[in-house]
Amino acid sequence: MISTIAQRIGKFIAYQQISRREFASRLGYTSSEKINRLFRKDGAKPGFDIVADIANKFVNLNVDWLVTGRGDMLKNGSESPGSPGPQVVTRDVMGQKTVVYVSLKNREAYKSGYDKDEFIRQLAVFSFPGLPQGSFRMFEVGGRSLHPLFRDRDRVVGRWSTLEDLSEDQACVLLTRNQGLLIRHIGAREAGYLWIKGNPLQGEEFPAFRVDERDILEVWEVVYLITRHLPELTGIRQQVAELEVSVRLLEERLIEKGI
């Protein structure tokens, strides 16, 4: 049994596959100092506020295990959707994590091969310098489910996450047993189900529906968009031009009045 609370916090951070800085950020701290100081001195203990923050943020964590070391790390001894990390992680020759790319032609196969090393290593991989701590995957967008935010053939980069880490109306990629890959905005969670929001801009083509959380295999929070569709700037240019004219007229009137 891990003997101190700090060591158990360290184990949970490692289980989440994130850094102490990322862990502190998820708790809402502007600095990781509160967490780092727990590991500088043997026997250091977190205050009640830190324990409460951890319990409130990571609802799948067994607080009794955290405080006393008794029982399993996770509630009911089971993992929540999206924990603790992708089944297969790829790395480059320097040992750095790479980003696996799931194209439209591979989406159907990904449903059954997402957790198989042989399949994942057949997919294209990319390196993105400067990515924050975490595991990432890139998916090609197909269709208009989130149009015009994401357009057909755009690419989104998702960071491995959990349902507990996501907030309502967040864009994410979900891998589900029944519907396969979904790139949608999520809604509320209720009674073991997750609402998937519809797209009112597309009429009734993409209505809202519910997904049983037990059917969710992976959760990726969309953090980057790669697109070939540049935003329409004509309207913006027109507004800027009109503003410039208004400013010039105002300057002329001020000069006429000697101001």
Side-chain angles (χ1 to χ4, degrees):
M1 181 177 70
I2 297 179
S3 58
T4 69
I5 296 181
Q7 288 175 319
R8 288 189 287 276
I9 290 175
K11 180 179 180 180
F12 184 68
I13 292 173
Y15 174 82
Q16 292 289 318
Q17 294 190 350
I18 58 178
S19 66
R20 293 177 190 172
R21 177 181 296 179
E22 175 68 16
F23 184 71
S25 176
R26 293 191 184 186
L27 295 178
Y29 303 156
T30 56
S31 167
S32 58
E33 177 60 23
K34 274 189 173 183
I35 302 302
N36 288 335
R37 67 187 182 193
L38 297 175
F39 301 94
R40 294 198 189 110
K41 183 179 179 181
D42 291 341
K45 296 181 180 180
F48 175 79
D49 58 331
I50 295 179
V51 174
D53 289 340
I54 294 173
N56 290 331
K57 181 61 180 177
F58 299 97
V59 296
N60 61 325
L61 175 64
N62 181 354
V63 179
D64 187 45
W65 172 84
L66 178 65
V67 175
T68 68
R70 294 193 298 264
D72 297 316
M73 180 171 64
L74 301 181
K75 292 179 180 178
N76 300 322
S78 61
E79 297 179 358
S80 65
S83 296
Q87 297 290 328
V88 182
V89 175
T90 57
R91 298 180 183 273
D92 60 21
V93 294
M94 300 299 294
Q96 300 299 312
K97 289 182 180 179
T98 53
V99 178
V100 172
Y101 172 49
V102 182
S103 65
L104 289 176
K105 70 177 183 179
N106 291 318
R107 285 182 69 161
E108 187 61 31
Y110 185 80
K111 180 179 175 181
S112 58
Y114 75 98
D115 59 347
K116 296 178 174 60
D117 184 86
E118 182 179 358
F119 170 76
I120 293 297
R121 297 189 186 282
Q122 291 176 353
L123 302 179
V125 296
F126 295 87
S127 295
F128 288 83
L131 282 179
Q133 186 75 18
S135 296
F136 297 83
R137 193 146 293 173
M138 182 164 59
F139 300 88
E140 186 175 12
V141 177
R144 299 167 57 86
S145 62
L146 277 181
H147 186 87
L149 180 62
F150 303 148
R151 298 173 183 266
D152 191 43
R153 304 290 178 166
D154 280 351
R155 278 78 171 172
V156 295
V157 177
R159 176 168 54 192
W160 181 269
S161 189
T162 69
L163 293 181
E164 286 76 18
D165 291 335
L166 298 178
S167 57
E168 190 172 340
D169 206 37
Q170 216 160 357
C172 65
V173 180
L174 300 176
L175 176 63
T176 67
R177 288 190 178 90
N178 295 324
Q179 285 94 356
L181 275 172
L182 302 171
I183 304 178
R184 301 286 287 270
H185 281 118
I186 64 170
R189 299 173 66 189
E190 56 180 33
Y193 286 85
L194 173 70
W195 276 100
I196 306 299
K197 289 195 169 185
N199 186 347
L201 297 179
Q202 301 301 316
E204 298 181 357
E205 185 178 359
F206 298 102
F209 62 94
R210 294 194 310 172
V211 173
D212 190 325
E213 292 184 0
R214 293 171 297 182
D215 290 336
I216 298 175
L217 304 173
E218 288 188 334
V219 178
W220 302 88
E221 174 195 0
V222 174
V223 291
Y224 298 106
L225 169 66
I226 302 173
T227 182
R228 292 175 292 180
H229 302 92
L230 295 177
E232 178 57 56
L233 298 178
T234 303
I236 297 176
R237 290 196 186 101
Q238 181 66 29
Q239 292 176 23
V240 171
E242 292 174 354
L243 181 60
E244 289 176 344
V245 171
S246 298
V247 170
R248 283 200 299 270
L249 290 174
L250 179 60
E251 289 176 342
E252 291 173 0
R253 290 173 183 172
L254 291 175
I255 292 173
E256 290 175 357
K257 294 182 179 181
I259 299 177

